[in-house]
């Protein structure tokens, strides 16, 4: 199984202990259960750090430049 690696670049808004691991587990489930079958692609496991394609986590959207991004706020 291919791997996607979560790469944490945050400095100001550090995820709490275990948060990135929980996100990685949830993304793995969603990719294996929903995305891969619907798109007819091989499933991928998401890990924190490591090798493989990268999912980068930044403090602010403008730091992502050409990457896709989402904003998390209190709403």
């Amino acid at each position: 199984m291919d791997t996607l690696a979560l790469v944490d670049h945050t400095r100001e808004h550090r995820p709490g202990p275990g948060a990135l691991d929980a996100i990685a587990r949830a993304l793995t489930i969603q990719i294996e259960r929903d995305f891969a079958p619907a798109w007819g692609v091989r499933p991928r496991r998401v890990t924190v750090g490591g090798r493989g394609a990268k999912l980068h986590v930044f403090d602010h959207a403008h730091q992502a430049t050409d990457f896709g991004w989402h904003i998390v706020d209190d709403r």
Side-chain angles (χ1 to χ4, degrees):
M1 179 181 298
D2 292 332
T3 302
L4 291 171
L6 279 177
V7 180
D8 184 13
H9 297 282
T10 60
R11 299 215 170 143
E12 294 176 44
H13 307 288
R14 303 292 302 182
L20 290 178
D21 292 313
I23 291 168
R25 286 190 301 274
L27 288 171
T28 297
I29 291 168
Q30 187 173 27
I31 290 169
E32 291 177 345
R33 183 190 67 204
D34 304 323
F35 180 78
W39 287 76
V41 297
R42 291 178 29 195
R44 291 182 179 224
R45 178 173 306 134
V46 180
T47 63
V48 177
R51 297 184 177 189
K54 308 289 189 222
L55 297 171
H56 299 271
V57 181
F58 297 95
D59 287 310
H60 304 284
H62 72 274
Q63 293 172 303
T65 61
D66 293 334
F67 297 107
W69 51 272
H70 298 277
I71 294 174
V72 177
D73 60 23
D74 61 348
R75 292 176 268 157

